[in-house]
Amino acid sequence: MSMIESAKDFDRRFSQRLEACLEEPTFDRVRSLVDSEGLDRLRRFAQLLVTANAQVNLTAIVEPEDVAIKHVADSLLAFTICDWPMGARVCDVGTGGGVPGIVLACVRPDLRVTLVDSVNKKLRIAADISAAVGVPVETLHARAEELGHRPGFRESFEIVTARAVARLPVLLELCLPLCRVGGCFVALKGPEVESEIDESSLALRSLGGSLASVNEFVLPFGVGSRTVLGVNKSAQTPGLYPRSAGIPSKRPLIG
């Protein structure tokens, strides 16, 4: 199979699986967001992500059907949590190759998305992919612990997202300082989060957050279940937080 034929086959298989996913009841609340232009952008993103993965290890998920469900459809579930106002400023912490940040921008190009990662080579690829797809995003090579104290970023985002980055108490310290009061932190997690939620009461009290929603979803085609958490930013985060780089993961606010 030639490279052109291979790319066409990838696009076909990806599109068929994503469109089938969006017809499932799980995606009732996000289906209308994905118009034909958004689908084209998502298709291009998936192709570029897998191509770049041959050079830099971004993901173990490379089959088009798996990318459609486990990266793209999974990321779209973030839109089921909180309000996403037009032109909202969004920060995706630990973005890697741009998941979920670029996916969200593909279907909502009005969002002002900032991709944050501590691994610069991954961030450069994410920047190249977003430019090729045609969605304007900002990329920042930084640790969240540092960015959370930087003027212009601390408590500046309406929405903060994180997917498969760390356990919830750690994520709260990394992400809530970036979220403005009245905004929302969206955590995309796996199927079993009860223990993480139980561990997070101290972090929520200390950082100005309150758990607003815990939504469980069953992904189609036997892929499994996901949990998406919504945390409201109800009060300012004290200046102590986030603590220095590495401390949140070494000594998480558990209690």
Side-chain angles (χ1 to χ4, degrees):
M1 185 181 293
S2 69
M3 290 182 63
I4 293 176
E5 290 172 333
S6 178
K8 288 182 178 179
D9 181 64
F10 184 99
D11 286 351
R12 176 184 59 79
R13 291 164 59 191
F14 171 86
S15 297
Q16 288 178 347
R17 183 53 57 91
L18 180 59
E19 290 172 0
C21 283
L22 293 174
E23 290 302 316
E24 294 290 323
T26 297
F27 296 95
D28 284 347
R29 293 181 60 188
V30 301
R31 187 180 305 118
S32 62
L33 297 176
V34 187
D35 58 18
S36 60
E37 292 181 353
L39 183 60
D40 285 342
R41 287 189 289 264
L42 291 171
R43 185 186 301 114
R44 181 67 173 149
F45 164 75
Q47 182 77 255
L48 292 168
L49 179 69
V50 172
T51 299
N53 194 64
Q55 307 300 321
V56 176
N57 183 24
L58 299 170
T59 176
I61 300 168
V62 295
E63 292 298 318
E65 293 86 356
D66 291 337
V67 175
I69 301 178
K70 297 179 181 179
H71 279 329
V72 174
D74 186 36
S75 294
L76 293 176
L77 292 174
F79 285 124
T80 66
I81 305 296
C82 311
D83 292 326
W84 293 70
M86 289 293 293
R89 196 174 179 202
V90 179
C91 184
D92 182 26
V93 174
T95 192
V99 182
I102 296 178
V103 174
L104 303 178
C106 281
V107 299
R108 284 282 305 274
D110 63 284
L111 298 174
R112 295 175 293 158
V113 176
T114 298
L115 308 178
V116 177
D117 206 281
S118 62
V119 181
N120 200 27
K121 62 182 178 180
K122 292 183 179 181
L123 200 63
R124 288 198 300 268
I125 289 173
D128 290 343
I129 291 174
S130 64
V133 170
V135 291
V137 301
E138 178 183 22
T139 56
L140 274 176
H141 176 221
R143 293 187 66 109
E145 297 98 325
E146 178 271 326
L147 193 65
H149 290 284
R150 192 186 298 183
F153 297 94
R154 181 178 177 86
E155 299 191 323
S156 297
F157 296 91
E158 282 90 353
I159 307 284
V160 180
T161 63
R163 178 176 181 263
V165 175
R167 289 184 69 81
L168 186 58
V170 178
L171 280 180
L172 291 169
E173 185 167 355
L174 298 180
C175 296
L176 278 177
L178 294 165
C179 193
R180 66 187 299 179
V181 175
C184 183
F185 166 47
V186 179
L188 294 102
K189 306 289 291 182
E192 299 178 1
V193 298
E194 293 83 0
S195 62
E196 295 186 44
I197 293 172
D198 290 342
E199 293 172 351
S200 298
S201 57
L202 176 60
L204 289 167
R205 292 196 306 271
S206 300
L207 299 165
S210 58
L211 185 63
S213 58
V214 180
N215 289 6
E216 298 181 356
F217 300 94
V218 177
L219 296 179
F221 301 99
V223 169
S225 58
R226 298 289 188 271
T227 306
V228 186
L229 307 177
V231 179
N232 289 341
K233 182 66 175 289
S234 51
Q236 286 187 326
T237 299
L240 169 65
Y241 303 109
R243 292 168 293 170
S244 300
I247 300 301
S249 58
K250 291 178 182 176
R251 298 202 301 271
L253 297 170
I254 293 177

